[in-house]
Amino acid sequence: AQSVAQPEDQVNVAEGNPLTVKCTYSVSGNPYLFWYVQYPNRGLQFLLKYITGDNLVKGSYGFEAEFNKSQTSFHLKKPSALVSDSALYFCAVRPRTGANNLFFGTGTRLTVIP
Amino acid sequence: DGGITQSPKYLFRKEGQNVTLSCEQNLNHDAMYWYRQDPGQGLRLIYYSQIVNDFQKGDIAEGYSVSREKKESFPLTVTSAQKNPTAFYLCASSIDLGGLAKNIQYFGAGTRLSVL
């Protein structure tokens, strides 16, 4: 079965420190990988995606993500956290063949402490 | 939230009542989706549509119905058969569903449905 795991429901980090939000997946083949962010009572906003090529993907607002094929992971990172980064982050995967929809993780709430 | 408009922002449903959530997009996207978001469960796909007059069930379609009479509109009806409708509902669209699976989905701001 296809699945996406975000092992941490909550991540707290001090402002200015690096942050990591973890994501692992169990999807057949080499899926497309995405990160989305959700602010309170809002829809999801696209941050970045991995399709092919360089394992380090750079996205919006200074975020980046590292694809690791052997570990089937796609962790979201940022070198220096801002208070405004506090939000709910979702990892999502989409198989290259077969299923036509995104599979979402359960979300990780990031809190950046001033 | 791009060019996707969901309305209303908040909706209340009485027992035995059907309610319809609106989703309109002006992005000229072919594919549209409805997701349900519950705390701690991420997003789950209810229905999706690749083209006008065509739609497919997602993972949790029971108790819901949709229509796609126009490219820009994909309304979702929560029927009385849906026994636990309280959730945050998100509509999304993407340029193409078929072979271009890598395309990004753009989301509306959501509708929060509660049962009276």
Side-chain angles (χ1 to χ4, degrees), chain A residues 32 34 36 38 41-46 49 51 88 90 94-96 100-107, chain B residues 1 9 33 35 37 40-43 45 48 50 59 88 90 97 101-105 107-109 112:
Chain A
Y32 302 114
F34 304 81
Y36 284 84
Q38 185 180 33
N41 294 310
R42 303 296 299 276
L44 276 65
Q45 296 178 27
F46 168 76
K49 65 179 179 181
I51 304 301
L88 188 58
F90 288 97
R94 186 174 224 176
R96 290 181 186 248
N100 292 322
N101 53 292
L102 284 172
F103 294 92
F104 283 88
T106 52
Chain B
D1 300 314
K9 192 173 179 68
Y33 315 79
Y35 292 92
Q37 184 178 15
Q41 294 194 46
L43 276 70
L45 183 67
Y48 63 97
Q50 301 182 56
D59 299 322
F88 191 50
L90 288 163
L97 181 62
K102 60 183 180 291
N103 282 329
I104 302 161
Q105 291 187 13
F107 286 80
R112 189 165 297 280

Coordinates of all heavy atoms in Angstrom, one line a residue, chain A residues 32 34 36 38 41-46 49 51 88 90 94-96 100-107, chain B residues 1 9 33 35 37 40-43 45 48 50 59 88 90 97 101-105 107-109 112:
Chain A
Y32 N 7.0 11.3 -7.6 CA 7.2 12.7 -7.5 C 6.9 13.1 -6.0 O 6.0 12.6 -5.4 CB 6.2 13.5 -8.4 CG 6.4 13.1 -9.8 CD1 5.3 12.5 -10.5 CD2 7.5 13.4 -10.6 CE1 5.4 12.2 -11.8 CE2 7.6 13.1 -11.9 CZ 6.6 12.5 -12.5 OH 6.7 12.1 -13.8
F34 N 6.6 16.2 -2.9 CA 6.2 17.6 -2.7 C 6.2 17.9 -1.2 O 6.0 17.1 -0.4 CB 4.7 17.8 -3.2 CG 4.5 17.4 -4.7 CD1 4.3 16.1 -5.1 CD2 4.5 18.4 -5.6 CE1 4.1 15.8 -6.4 CE2 4.3 18.1 -7.0 CZ 4.1 16.8 -7.3
Y36 N 4.1 20.9 1.1 CA 3.1 22.0 1.2 C 3.1 22.6 2.6 O 3.4 21.9 3.6 CB 1.7 21.5 0.8 CG 1.4 21.2 -0.6 CD1 1.8 20.0 -1.2 CD2 0.8 22.2 -1.4 CE1 1.6 19.8 -2.6 CE2 0.6 22.0 -2.8 CZ 0.9 20.7 -3.3 OH 0.7 20.5 -4.7
Q38 N 0.6 24.9 5.4 CA -0.8 25.4 5.6 C -0.7 26.3 6.8 O -0.3 25.9 7.9 CB -1.7 24.2 5.9 CG -3.2 24.6 6.0 CD -4.1 23.5 6.3 OE1 -3.7 22.5 6.9 NE2 -5.3 23.6 5.8
N41 N -6.6 28.0 9.1 CA -7.8 28.2 8.4 C -7.6 28.6 6.9 O -8.4 29.4 6.3 CB -8.7 29.2 9.1 CG -9.2 28.7 10.4 OD1 -9.7 27.6 10.5 ND2 -8.9 29.5 11.4
R42 N -6.5 28.1 6.3 CA -6.2 28.4 4.9 C -5.9 27.1 4.2 O -5.8 26.1 4.7 CB -4.9 29.3 4.8 CG -5.0 30.6 5.6 CD -6.1 31.5 5.0 NE -5.9 31.9 3.7 CZ -5.1 32.9 3.3 NH1 -4.5 33.6 4.1 NH2 -5.0 33.2 2.0
G43 N -5.9 27.3 2.8 CA -5.6 26.1 2.0 C -4.1 25.9 2.1 O -3.3 26.6 2.7
L44 N -3.7 24.8 1.3 CA -2.3 24.5 1.3 C -1.5 25.3 0.2 O -2.1 25.6 -0.8 CB -2.1 23.0 1.0 CG -2.2 22.0 2.1 CD1 -3.6 22.0 2.8 CD2 -1.8 20.6 1.7
Q45 N -0.3 25.7 0.6 CA 0.5 26.4 -0.4 C 1.7 25.5 -0.8 O 2.4 25.0 0.1 CB 1.0 27.7 0.2 CG 0.0 28.7 0.5 CD 0.5 29.9 1.2 OE1 1.7 30.3 1.0 NE2 -0.3 30.6 2.0
F46 N 2.0 25.5 -2.0 CA 3.1 24.7 -2.5 C 4.4 25.3 -2.1 O 4.6 26.5 -2.2 CB 3.0 24.6 -4.1 CG 4.3 24.1 -4.8 CD1 4.5 22.7 -4.8 CD2 5.1 25.0 -5.4 CE1 5.6 22.3 -5.4 CE2 6.2 24.5 -6.0 CZ 6.5 23.1 -6.0
K49 N 9.2 20.8 -4.9 CA 8.9 19.5 -5.4 C 10.2 18.9 -5.9 O 11.1 19.6 -6.3 CB 7.9 19.5 -6.6 CG 8.4 20.3 -7.8 CD 7.3 20.3 -8.9 CE 7.8 21.0 -10.1 NZ 6.8 21.1 -11.2
I51 N 11.4 16.2 -8.8 CA 10.9 15.4 -10.0 C 12.1 14.4 -10.4 O 11.9 13.2 -10.5 CB 10.5 16.3 -11.2 CG1 9.5 17.3 -10.7 CG2 10.1 15.5 -12.4 CD1 8.2 16.6 -10.3
L88 N 1.7 24.4 9.6 CA 1.5 23.0 9.5 C 2.1 22.6 8.1 O 1.7 23.2 7.1 CB 0.0 22.6 9.6 CG -0.4 21.2 9.6 CD1 0.2 20.5 10.8 CD2 -1.9 21.1 9.7
F90 N 3.0 19.7 5.2 CA 2.6 18.4 4.7 C 3.5 17.9 3.6 O 3.9 18.7 2.7 CB 1.2 18.5 4.1 CG 0.1 18.6 5.1 CD1 -0.5 19.8 5.4 CD2 -0.5 17.5 5.7 CE1 -1.5 20.0 6.3 CE2 -1.5 17.6 6.6 CZ -2.0 18.9 6.9
R94 N 3.4 11.4 -5.3 CA 2.5 11.1 -6.4 C 3.2 10.1 -7.2 O 4.3 10.4 -7.7 CB 2.2 12.3 -7.2 CG 1.1 12.0 -8.3 CD 0.7 13.3 -8.9 NE -0.7 13.4 -9.1 CZ -1.3 14.4 -9.6 NH1 -0.7 15.5 -9.9 NH2 -2.6 14.4 -9.7
P95 N 2.7 8.8 -7.3 CA 3.4 7.8 -8.2 C 3.5 8.3 -9.6 O 2.6 9.1 -10.1 CB 2.4 6.6 -8.1 CG 1.6 6.9 -6.8 CD 1.5 8.4 -6.7
R96 N 4.5 7.9 -10.3 CA 4.7 8.3 -11.7 C 3.8 7.5 -12.6 O 3.5 8.0 -13.7 CB 6.2 8.0 -12.1 CG 7.1 8.9 -11.4 CD 8.6 8.7 -11.8 NE 9.4 9.5 -11.0 CZ 10.1 10.5 -11.5 NH1 10.1 10.8 -12.8 NH2 10.9 11.3 -10.7
N100 N -3.6 8.4 -9.6 CA -3.5 9.8 -10.2 C -3.7 10.9 -9.1 O -3.8 12.0 -9.4 CB -4.7 10.0 -11.2 CG -4.5 9.2 -12.4 OD1 -3.3 9.0 -12.9 ND2 -5.5 8.6 -12.9
N101 N -3.6 10.5 -7.8 CA -3.8 11.5 -6.8 C -2.6 11.6 -5.9 O -1.7 10.7 -5.9 CB -5.0 11.2 -6.0 CG -5.0 9.8 -5.4 OD1 -5.2 8.8 -6.2 ND2 -4.9 9.7 -4.1
L102 N -2.5 12.7 -5.1 CA -1.5 12.9 -4.2 C -1.8 12.1 -2.9 O -2.9 12.0 -2.5 CB -1.4 14.3 -3.8 CG -0.7 15.3 -4.8 CD1 -0.9 16.7 -4.3 CD2 0.8 15.0 -4.9
F103 N -0.7 11.5 -2.3 CA -0.9 10.8 -1.0 C -0.2 11.8 0.0 O 1.0 12.1 -0.2 CB -0.2 9.5 -1.0 CG -0.9 8.5 -1.9 CD1 -0.5 8.3 -3.2 CD2 -1.9 7.7 -1.4 CE1 -1.1 7.4 -4.0 CE2 -2.5 6.8 -2.2 CZ -2.1 6.6 -3.5
F104 N -0.9 12.2 1.0 CA -0.4 13.1 2.0 C 0.0 12.4 3.3 O -0.6 11.5 3.7 CB -1.5 14.2 2.3 CG -1.7 15.2 1.2 CD1 -2.5 15.0 0.2 CD2 -1.0 16.4 1.3 CE1 -2.7 16.0 -0.8 CE2 -1.1 17.4 0.3 CZ -2.0 17.2 -0.7
G105 N 1.0 13.0 3.9 CA 1.3 12.6 5.2 C 0.3 13.3 6.2 O -0.5 14.1 5.8
T106 N 0.5 13.0 7.5 CA -0.5 13.5 8.4 C -0.2 14.9 8.9 O -0.9 15.5 9.7 CB -0.6 12.6 9.7 OG1 0.7 12.3 10.2 CG2 -1.2 11.2 9.3
G107 N 0.9 15.4 8.5 CA 1.3 16.8 8.8 C 2.2 16.9 10.1 O 2.1 16.1 11.0
Chain B
D1 N -3.9 31.9 -2.2 CA -4.7 30.8 -2.6 C -5.0 30.8 -4.1 O -5.9 30.1 -4.6 CB -6.0 30.7 -1.8 CG -5.8 30.6 -0.3 OD1 -5.0 29.7 0.0 OD2 -6.4 31.4 0.4
K9 N -17.1 30.1 3.5 CA -16.0 29.8 4.4 C -16.4 28.9 5.5 O -15.6 28.0 5.9 CB -15.4 31.1 4.9 CG -14.0 31.0 5.5 CD -13.5 32.4 5.9 CE -12.1 32.3 6.6 NZ -11.1 31.8 5.7
Y33 N -10.0 18.6 -7.7 CA -10.0 17.6 -6.6 C -10.8 18.2 -5.4 O -10.8 19.4 -5.1 CB -8.6 17.3 -6.1 CG -7.6 17.1 -7.2 CD1 -7.0 18.1 -7.9 CD2 -7.2 15.8 -7.6 CE1 -6.1 18.0 -8.9 CE2 -6.2 15.6 -8.6 CZ -5.7 16.7 -9.2 OH -4.7 16.5 -10.2
Y35 N -10.7 17.4 -1.2 CA -10.1 16.7 -0.1 C -10.8 17.0 1.2 O -11.4 18.1 1.4 CB -8.6 17.1 0.1 CG -7.7 16.7 -1.0 CD1 -7.4 17.6 -2.1 CD2 -7.0 15.5 -0.9 CE1 -6.5 17.2 -3.1 CE2 -6.1 15.1 -1.9 CZ -5.9 16.0 -3.0 OH -5.0 15.6 -4.0
Q37 N -10.0 17.2 5.3 CA -9.0 17.3 6.3 C -9.5 17.2 7.7 O -10.4 18.0 8.1 CB -8.2 18.7 6.2 CG -7.0 18.7 7.1 CD -6.2 20.0 6.9 OE1 -6.7 21.0 6.3 NE2 -5.0 20.1 7.4
G40 N -4.9 15.4 12.6 CA -4.1 14.2 12.8 C -4.2 13.2 11.7 O -3.6 12.2 11.7
Q41 N -5.0 13.5 10.6 CA -5.2 12.5 9.6 C -4.7 13.0 8.2 O -4.9 12.4 7.2 CB -6.6 12.1 9.5 CG -7.2 11.3 10.7 CD -8.5 10.6 10.4 OE1 -8.6 10.0 9.4 NE2 -9.4 10.8 11.3
G42 N -4.2 14.2 8.1 CA -3.8 14.7 6.8 C -5.0 14.9 5.9 O -6.1 15.1 6.4
L43 N -4.7 14.9 4.6 CA -5.8 15.1 3.7 C -6.2 13.8 3.0 O -5.3 13.0 2.6 CB -5.3 16.1 2.6 CG -5.4 17.6 2.8 CD1 -4.4 18.0 3.9 CD2 -5.1 18.3 1.6
L45 N -8.5 12.1 -0.1 CA -9.2 12.4 -1.4 C -10.6 11.9 -1.4 O -10.9 10.7 -1.2 CB -8.4 11.8 -2.5 CG -8.9 12.2 -3.9 CD1 -8.7 13.6 -4.2 CD2 -8.1 11.3 -5.0
Y48 N -12.2 13.3 -7.6 CA -11.4 14.1 -8.5 C -12.0 14.0 -9.9 O -12.8 13.1 -10.3 CB -9.9 13.7 -8.5 CG -9.6 12.3 -9.0 CD1 -9.2 12.1 -10.3 CD2 -9.7 11.2 -8.2 CE1 -8.9 10.8 -10.8 CE2 -9.3 10.0 -8.6 CZ -9.0 9.8 -9.9 OH -8.6 8.5 -10.3
Q50 N -11.0 14.8 -14.1 CA -9.9 15.1 -15.1 C -10.4 16.1 -16.2 O -9.7 16.9 -16.7 CB -9.5 13.8 -15.8 CG -8.9 12.8 -14.8 CD -8.4 11.5 -15.6 OE1 -7.6 11.6 -16.5 NE2 -8.9 10.4 -15.2
D59 N -10.6 8.1 -2.1 CA -10.5 7.1 -1.0 C -11.8 7.1 -0.1 O -12.0 6.1 0.5 CB -9.3 7.4 -0.2 CG -8.0 7.2 -1.0 OD1 -8.0 6.4 -1.9 OD2 -7.1 8.1 -0.8
F88 N -12.8 20.0 7.6 CA -12.3 21.1 6.8 C -12.2 20.6 5.4 O -11.5 19.6 5.2 CB -11.0 21.7 7.3 CG -10.5 23.0 6.7 CD1 -11.4 24.0 6.6 CD2 -9.2 23.1 6.2 CE1 -11.0 25.3 6.1 CE2 -8.8 24.3 5.7 CZ -9.7 25.4 5.6
L90 N -11.2 20.9 1.4 CA -10.3 21.7 0.5 C -10.5 21.3 -0.9 O -10.5 20.1 -1.2 CB -8.8 21.4 0.9 CG -8.4 22.1 2.2 CD1 -7.1 21.5 2.7 CD2 -8.2 23.6 2.0
L97 N -4.0 16.0 -15.4 CA -3.9 14.8 -14.5 C -3.2 13.7 -15.1 O -2.4 13.0 -14.4 CB -5.3 14.4 -14.1 CG -5.4 13.2 -13.2 CD1 -4.8 13.6 -11.8 CD2 -6.9 12.8 -13.0
A101 N 1.9 13.9 -14.1 CA 1.6 13.7 -12.7 C 2.4 14.6 -11.8 O 2.1 14.9 -10.7 CB 1.8 12.3 -12.2
K102 N 3.5 15.2 -12.4 CA 4.3 16.0 -11.6 C 3.8 17.4 -11.3 O 4.3 18.2 -10.6 CB 5.7 16.2 -12.2 CG 5.6 16.8 -13.6 CD 7.0 16.8 -14.2 CE 7.0 17.5 -15.6 NZ 6.3 16.6 -16.6
N103 N 2.7 17.7 -12.0 CA 2.2 19.1 -11.9 C 1.7 19.4 -10.5 O 1.1 18.5 -9.8 CB 1.1 19.3 -12.9 CG 1.7 19.6 -14.3 OD1 2.7 20.1 -14.4 ND2 0.9 19.2 -15.3
I104 N 1.8 20.6 -10.1 CA 1.5 21.1 -8.8 C 0.0 21.2 -8.6 O -0.7 21.7 -9.6 CB 2.2 22.4 -8.5 CG1 3.7 22.3 -8.7 CG2 1.8 23.0 -7.2 CD1 4.4 23.6 -8.9
Q105 N -0.5 20.9 -7.5 CA -1.9 21.2 -7.2 C -2.0 22.5 -6.4 O -1.2 22.8 -5.5 CB -2.5 20.1 -6.3 CG -2.7 18.8 -7.1 CD -3.5 17.7 -6.3 OE1 -4.1 18.0 -5.3 NE2 -3.5 16.5 -6.8
F107 N -4.5 25.0 -4.2 CA -5.6 24.8 -3.3 C -6.4 26.1 -3.0 O -5.8 27.2 -3.0 CB -5.1 24.3 -1.9 CG -4.6 22.9 -1.9 CD1 -3.4 22.5 -2.5 CD2 -5.5 21.9 -1.4 CE1 -3.0 21.2 -2.5 CE2 -5.1 20.6 -1.5 CZ -3.9 20.2 -2.0
G108 N -7.7 25.9 -2.8 CA -8.5 27.0 -2.3 C -8.3 27.2 -0.8 O -7.6 26.5 -0.1
A109 N -9.0 28.2 -0.2 CA -8.8 28.5 1.2 C -9.6 27.6 2.1 O -9.5 27.7 3.3 CB -9.2 30.0 1.4
R112 N -15.1 25.2 6.1 CA -15.2 24.4 7.4 C -16.7 24.1 7.6 O -17.5 25.0 7.8 CB -14.7 25.2 8.6 CG -14.6 24.4 9.9 CD -13.7 25.1 10.9 NE -12.3 25.2 10.5 CZ -11.4 24.3 10.5 NH1 -11.8 23.0 10.9 NH2 -10.2 24.5 10.2

